Amino acid sequence: MTRGGARATAGHAAPGRQRSGADPTSERTDGAGQAGAVDAVSAAWTEYLAAARQLDGIRRDAATAAGEQARSVQAAREELTAIRTRLASQEARLRERGVPPISLVPTPPEVTEAARSMAGGPAAVLAALRAARGRADAADATLSARGLPRLAGWPPHLRNLLVYAPLALLVPVIQLALFVATGTGAASVAALVCGLPMPAVAFAAGWIGVGRLFPPPEGGRARRTTRLGALVCLVPAVLVSAGLLLAMLAG
């Protein structure tokens, strides 16, 4: 082979060696594939975090609801125990007063209505038991009235006024009667002097009378309306004493 043929052969072989190297197009394709894979992993991670947060929120809500339900159940059990005790006491007192036992048993419609009102779960049961406690309080007030069931339903300041007012007027009426009968004599002066501490005595008697006539339900306190009682006992005594003193001075 001649030298010209060797050079021609080398010249044809050189482009072949250049094409056998790395292809730029395939490198760009590989880079795009890697970027797409990274984006897919990032999107999957974001979705995972969102699902984890949602699941945590659901778990927290479920724990809160379970805690509230447990507290409602515990409160309902305590309320039921207290109401059962009070109803047993009321039943015994009603039987002592001659109420027939058949009247103390709930009727089927009443049982159905009570079951319907408690069908909403522990919270509904607790609300129904608290309403029953209110009715038990009213029944205790009526049973404790000792012959005054109508007055037991009155507002405390009105029914207590029926106790304080007669005691507050008793001594002033006696003072006026003595003054009219004897004039400005020794008896009227003695009644006036003796009547000065009587408002305190009338208030104490009224305070005790309110507690006896209108006793509180079990575990409660009597509503004696102390300020009203003191005012009712003091005002008539002061007015009558001032009037008698002025009449005596004028006479």
Side-chain angles (χ1 to χ4, degrees):
M1 183 181 295
T2 62
R3 293 181 181 179
R7 283 196 299 270
T9 303
H12 287 292
R17 286 195 299 269
Q18 290 177 357
R19 286 194 296 268
S20 63
D23 190 355
T25 303
S26 62
E27 289 180 358
R28 287 195 298 270
T29 303
D30 293 341
Q34 292 178 358
V38 171
D39 293 339
V41 171
S42 178
W45 177 251
T46 303
E47 292 177 358
Y48 169 77
L49 290 179
R53 294 191 187 97
Q54 183 178 5
L55 180 61
D56 184 67
I58 295 174
R59 182 187 61 79
R60 290 176 182 272
D61 293 341
T64 302
E68 293 178 354
Q69 184 173 4
R71 288 191 292 271
S72 297
V73 170
Q74 182 63 27
R77 288 176 179 174
E78 295 175 356
E79 197 76 29
L80 179 61
T81 301
I83 291 176
R84 281 178 174 175
T85 303
R86 296 183 64 181
L87 291 180
S89 175
Q90 291 179 0
E91 182 180 0
R93 295 169 68 181
L94 289 172
R95 287 185 176 181
E96 290 176 356
R97 298 188 180 189
V99 178
I102 189 64
S103 300
L104 304 176
V105 179
T107 61
E110 291 174 342
V111 174
T112 302
E113 182 63 24
R116 186 181 297 111
S117 65
M118 294 185 293
V125 173
L126 181 59
L129 290 173
R130 287 175 175 170
R133 182 180 61 179
R135 291 191 290 270
D137 291 338
D140 279 337
T142 302
L143 289 174
S144 301
R146 298 182 183 178
L148 300 174
R150 294 182 180 177
L151 296 181
W154 287 20
H157 62 279
L158 290 180
R159 72 186 185 193
N160 294 348
L161 187 62
L162 297 177
V163 180
Y164 288 117
L167 295 172
L169 295 175
L170 180 61
V171 173
V173 168
I174 294 175
Q175 290 175 336
L176 286 174
L178 287 174
F179 180 78
V180 171
T182 62
T184 58
S188 297
V189 175
L192 180 61
V193 174
C194 293
L196 294 178
M198 286 299 105
V201 176
F203 171 74
W207 193 86
I208 296 173
V210 168
R212 293 293 181 85
L213 293 175
F214 309 109
E218 295 181 4
R221 297 179 60 184
R223 301 182 65 179
R224 292 185 168 92
T225 57
T226 305
R227 294 182 179 178
L228 176 65
L231 187 64
V232 169
C233 294
L234 184 62
V235 170
V238 171
L239 293 178
V240 172
S241 297
L244 291 177
L245 182 61
L246 291 175
M248 290 178 183
L249 294 175

